[in-house]
Amino acid sequence: MHPPSRQDYVSISFAGQGSEGYNNSKQWRRQSCWRKWNQLSRLQRSLIIFVLILLLICGIASYPAVTEHLNGLKEREQDTNHNSVLRPVIPHVLPEPAKPAQPLLPKPTSQRKLFNKRGPPVLQNRLQKKGNASDTAAEDKAADGKKKGEEEGVISWRGAVIDTERATEGIKDEENNDQKAKSSKESETSRLEAVQAAFRHAWKGYKNFAWGHDELRPLSKSYSEWFGLGLTLIDALDTMWILGLKEEFEEAKAWVATELTFNKNVDVNLFESTIRILGGLLSTHHLTGDTMFLDKAKDIGSRLMSAFNTPSKIPYSDVNIGKGTAHPPRWTSDSTVAEVTSIQLEFRELARLTQEPHYQDAVAEVMKQVHKLDGKLDGLVPMFINTNNGQFTHQGIYTLGARADSYYEYLLKQWIQGGKKENQLLEDYLQAIEGVKKNLLQKSSPNGLTFVGELSHGQFSPKMDHLVCFLPGTLALGAHNGLPADHMDLAKQLMETCYQMYVQMETGLSPEIVHFNMHQGSTRDIDVKLADRHNLLRPETVESLFYLYRFTKDRKYQDWGYEIFQNFNKYTKVSSGGYTSINNVRDPDYPSPRDKMESFFLGETLKYLYLLFSDDPNLISLDQYVFNTEAHPLPIWPSTA
Ligand code: DMJ
């Protein structure tokens, strides 16, 4: 008897030709296969089944490898896309920022590996658990006691990978740490060198076109005169010393020794010449031990003393250093509060070095009077003080910006300079910070940036000068010296705000003044008025970044500073030498150079950037030095007790 399959075969052949069979093709094919199968011998069928089972086993075995490969491809694709995404406008307020292209430390290797491992979901979960630090004990147990279980339960490819990792884990961690240390050292060195290069570039312009004059005008390749005392050169002396620029320092020193004379019939501003010239000379004397700088400091210091010959003993703003006479500005008999209260560090130090107490007495008298004056609001001072009657004038306006800023800074710093003994200074400082919190601190909309506004006759204005960005650093310095920890919290919040004042501008450079939005529904936190769009290469933000980095060791502050530094290089560097202030931080195509390099760019901005990028806490230790408001480090007095 013919096997039925054979008949079926014949019938399939015929039916296959017809359109009917085509119409019913699925059923037709199923029947046809079945018939074919039945036509095969038992041996043939066994063979086919064996081959199929073999294929199935191979398929299962190779599934994880194939999916891992595919997922790996997908991941790489995503990485590439991610890298090409532009940074959000407000990286640190909105989603966490894409890290700057620079250094940065590689992600912890164990975590990175974790996500590269692919496998069926159950296995993946186990791997993820393994990567979780809180599961360490359980994992160790598994590693020790369940070696057999691992071998039993898991396909060999996975076991092999894990074992390899385990065996080399310790070594890899060490390698990674070495690698991290190496790359952060490299990044430190390259940033420090970049600041040195910037200084040299600035110096080149000054040397070629403005040598011995007050300020470089880099575009017109000339100079401007304010006091006619080589202001930039003196302001930059200790910066060159700190940056290790010996050659430049020696040239400048020779000029100070042979050319600088204060016996000149010129009017100088008491505050500006104290913080830049007296402060610069005193600090350079301390760093170098060279008494020539001290002699020069004594010379200018003694000439400035005529400013204190006023009915109230509150000093005049202007002094003729040649004639030994002083006077207020032509239009008023007022002095600025910040000016008369931010000369103390320098004159106190001069008194200590010369053993001539009248320098200290004169500036202490100012502090004593200001301490007692009416017209403060919760420790906040008005902006003007009258040199005849010693009273505050133009009362009712309170700011931490221009004309009041460094009053607060010097309360704290005098207390530190004198060994934390002068309680009145500390009390005034603490009260003032409470006054800031109560009257001037607000949050912006929509992103809640903490800022310090101004108060005018009870009316709050959300205006903040870039000058206020000294405050995060000062608050952090206070907290470092034992003042309340919430000062550090506030310092961090304000630091973020000051950084945002840069990041949110098209050039990445802050304007001179910003206004914060406070009303609900605002789309951006910061507005800038047309007249406030300039940037004078000011230091306050990088100054505070330096303090914050020193005290927290959080590298983000270095990275923020590096971004700012790069933008100075991008928008303010003049190719023939020097850097320039600009008129418009909102126009990266034409920031409109002002043709002036302020002396504080070399005295402060580049110095603070260098100190910020250095990981050496002993490079001007904040436990040994206190910086004056022009970034000239003066020693904290040794304790006599
Ligand atoms: C500097 O002269 C000092 O930092 C001063 O305290 C404020 N103004 C400039 C820098 O902005």
Side-chain angles (χ1 to χ4, degrees):
M1 194 180 145
H2 295 290
S5 56
R6 194 147 181 93
Q7 285 165 3
D8 288 348
Y9 177 76
V10 175
S11 76
I12 289 164
S13 307
F14 286 114
Q17 315 294 319
S19 60
E20 218 181 281
Y22 200 81
N23 285 341
N24 194 15
S25 60
K26 255 191 187 168
Q27 194 188 349
W28 175 80
R29 273 202 301 268
R30 222 177 285 136
Q31 286 170 355
S32 154
C33 285
W34 181 241
R35 281 180 204 125
K36 276 184 200 165
W37 177 253
N38 285 332
Q39 280 172 347
L40 296 175
S41 70
R42 189 164 293 169
L43 180 66
Q44 283 171 317
R45 275 187 257 164
S46 303
L47 259 173
I48 289 171
I49 289 171
F50 176 75
V51 170
L52 284 176
I53 289 173
L54 203 67
L55 283 173
L56 187 68
I57 290 170
C58 290
I60 290 171
S62 60
Y63 170 79
V66 173
T67 50
E68 184 182 29
H69 175 69
L70 290 175
N71 285 329
L73 283 178
K74 217 184 286 172
E75 203 175 71
R76 270 204 296 279
E77 219 169 82
Q78 278 166 2
D79 281 353
T80 320
N81 292 340
H82 175 75
N83 287 339
S84 67
V85 166
L86 289 175
R87 225 166 31 147
V89 182
I90 322 173
H92 293 276
V93 173
L94 296 176
E96 258 300 282
K99 294 282 179 214
Q102 270 314 302
L104 301 180
L105 301 177
K107 273 189 198 167
T109 321
S110 57
Q111 205 183 349
R112 231 184 16 208
K113 270 183 211 144
L114 194 69
F115 293 110
N116 281 339
K117 285 194 184 120
R118 299 296 169 182
V122 179
L123 300 184
Q124 213 176 32
N125 286 344
R126 282 193 53 193
L127 289 173
Q128 280 171 357
K129 266 196 207 145
K130 189 172 168 274
N132 185 336
S134 64
D135 286 342
T136 310
E139 288 300 330
D140 285 348
K141 201 171 161 204
D144 295 338
K146 292 195 180 170
K147 190 78 185 160
K148 191 163 168 275
E150 263 190 0
E151 282 163 3
E152 276 170 2
V154 186
I155 304 166
S156 61
W157 62 268
R158 184 179 160 268
V161 173
I162 289 170
D163 284 346
T164 312
E165 278 183 353
R166 279 196 177 284
T168 58
E169 216 162 57
I171 298 168
K172 276 187 184 164
D173 281 352
E174 267 175 38
E175 278 171 6
N176 288 331
N177 287 339
D178 286 353
Q179 194 60 39
K180 271 185 213 167
K182 200 174 153 216
S183 76
S184 88
K185 190 75 211 162
E186 276 168 8
S187 133
E188 180 192 1
T189 308
S190 79
R191 288 177 178 190
L192 292 175
E193 286 172 358
V195 179
Q196 287 169 331
F199 186 97
R200 283 203 175 96
H201 184 81
W203 193 246
K204 176 178 140 193
Y206 179 75
K207 193 176 163 186
N208 288 344
F209 311 121
W211 186 251
H213 298 285
D214 282 344
E215 291 131 350
L216 168 68
R217 298 184 61 208
L219 293 174
S220 50
K221 300 185 179 169
S222 61
Y223 57 84
S224 56
E225 220 65 289
W226 189 7
F227 308 145
L229 297 173
L231 208 54
T232 295
L233 189 149
I234 299 175
D235 226 359
L237 284 168
D238 56 5
T239 305
M240 288 183 264
W241 186 262
I242 291 167
L243 268 59
L245 304 175
K246 285 199 175 152
E247 217 176 279
E248 291 82 354
F249 176 79
E250 290 303 330
E251 296 175 306
K253 177 181 150 184
W255 183 88
V256 173
T258 58
E259 306 283 324
L260 178 61
T261 170
F262 297 121
N263 190 14
K264 274 185 164 180
N265 181 13
V266 286
D267 276 355
V268 302
N269 174 282
L270 169 69
F271 163 74
E272 298 292 356
S273 51
T274 298
I275 65 169
R276 301 186 200 211
I277 299 174
L278 179 56
L281 292 168
L282 286 173
S283 136
T284 310
H285 162 65
H286 275 293
L287 296 176
T288 62
D290 192 327
T291 52
M292 184 270 289
F293 295 110
L294 179 57
D295 293 340
K296 294 284 179 188
K298 283 184 208 163
D299 190 5
I300 183 72
S302 62
R303 289 170 187 275
L304 291 173
M305 285 305 285
S306 60
F308 295 89
N309 294 332
T310 69
S312 66
K313 297 188 182 162
I314 300 297
Y316 290 131
S317 61
D318 297 299
V319 184
N320 186 304
I321 52 173
K323 292 186 190 159
T325 56
H327 58 89
R330 234 172 289 145
W331 59 91
T332 176
S333 54
D334 291 349
S335 286
T336 296
V337 171
E339 292 194 355
V340 301
T341 56
S342 311
I343 49 180
Q344 280 65 16
L345 290 175
E346 300 80 356
F347 279 101
R348 282 156 54 109
E349 178 58 11
L350 186 61
R352 190 179 74 92
L353 289 173
T354 59
Q355 296 291 302
E356 292 181 43
H358 71 284
Y359 294 123
Q360 173 151 3
D361 295 345
V363 292
E365 173 66 21
V366 181
M367 296 312 295
K368 199 172 115 198
Q369 288 194 36
V370 171
H371 170 74
K372 285 194 288 204
L373 279 182
D374 287 337
K376 289 189 211 159
L377 173 71
D378 302 317
L380 304 175
V381 290
M383 296 152 80
F384 296 99
I385 187 165
N386 189 274
T387 51
N388 291 325
N389 62 23
Q391 299 298 309
F392 287 132
T393 65
H394 303 85
Q395 293 194 33
I397 302 176
Y398 302 98
T399 173
L400 258 80
R403 298 188 183 279
D405 49 0
S406 43
Y407 161 72
Y408 305 100
E409 180 188 349
Y410 269 39
L411 286 174
L412 178 74
K413 288 183 172 177
Q414 287 179 78
W415 177 69
I416 293 172
Q417 179 191 41
K420 307 189 204 174
K421 293 177 195 139
E422 297 150 289
N423 288 337
Q424 205 168 81
L425 293 166
L426 176 63
E427 280 162 23
D428 286 354
Y429 176 74
L430 290 172
Q431 198 198 357
I433 299 305
E434 290 311 304
V436 170
K437 288 191 217 163
K438 184 174 163 195
N439 300 288
L440 304 181
L441 215 57
Q442 287 290 346
K443 284 198 187 280
S444 68
S445 181
N447 288 302
L449 296 174
T450 303
F451 69 93
V452 181
E454 297 184 353
L455 204 62
S456 177
H457 307 288
Q459 188 82 26
F460 182 80
S461 159
K463 163 183 178 275
M464 181 165 145
D465 294 352
H466 181 272
L467 287 169
V468 180
C469 290
F470 80 93
L471 188 59
T474 298
L475 286 167
L477 180 64
H480 176 71
N481 279 282
L483 302 191
D486 73 315
H487 286 205
M488 183 55 105
D489 300 336
L490 182 55
K492 289 178 185 170
Q493 290 173 36
L494 290 172
M495 192 73 263
E496 169 78 46
T497 303
C498 290
Y499 172 59
Q500 290 301 328
M501 286 162 62
Y502 284 72
V503 176
Q504 294 193 25
M505 298 303 121
E506 286 76 354
T507 55
L509 292 174
S510 170
E512 179 73 358
I513 300 169
V514 297
H515 285 77
F516 288 91
N517 282 316
M518 290 175 67
H519 52 275
Q520 294 233 313
S522 330
T523 49
R524 51 181 299 145
D525 293 80
I526 298 178
D527 282 331
V528 187
K529 296 194 189 304
L530 267 180
D532 303 334
R533 295 181 165 196
H534 49 291
N535 178 297
L536 305 183
L537 312 172
R538 284 197 192 277
E540 290 76 17
T541 294
V542 295
E543 168 186 354
S544 285
L545 287 170
F546 156 65
Y547 284 103
L548 269 283
Y549 179 67
R550 272 279 169 103
F551 298 137
T552 67
K553 288 281 162 254
D554 186 338
R555 290 204 181 275
K556 81 177 175 193
Y557 297 121
Q558 289 186 318
D559 296 334
W560 293 359
Y562 195 62
E563 279 177 47
I564 292 170
F565 173 62
Q566 285 175 308
N567 289 323
F568 276 131
N569 270 330
K570 194 164 174 190
Y571 295 106
T572 72
K573 189 172 177 178
V574 179
S575 58
S576 49
Y579 288 74
T580 179
S581 306
I582 55 175
N583 277 317
N584 191 356
V585 295
R586 307 224 50 185
D587 187 350
D589 295 326
Y590 187 64
S592 178
R594 277 195 163 191
D595 195 17
K596 185 162 175 177
M597 183 174 78
E598 300 281 350
S599 79
F600 50 69
F601 183 63
L602 299 191
E604 299 194 68
T605 310
L606 291 180
K607 184 189 289 153
Y608 280 130
L609 282 166
Y610 189 84
L611 292 171
L612 166 66
F613 299 146
S614 167
D615 276 322
D616 179 2
N618 295 316
L619 183 60
I620 315 294
S621 159
L622 288 171
D623 295 318
Q624 288 167 14
Y625 288 94
V626 62
F627 285 87
N628 86 341
T629 194
E630 189 74 7
H632 298 303
L634 299 173
I636 294 172
W637 296 344
S639 163
T640 47

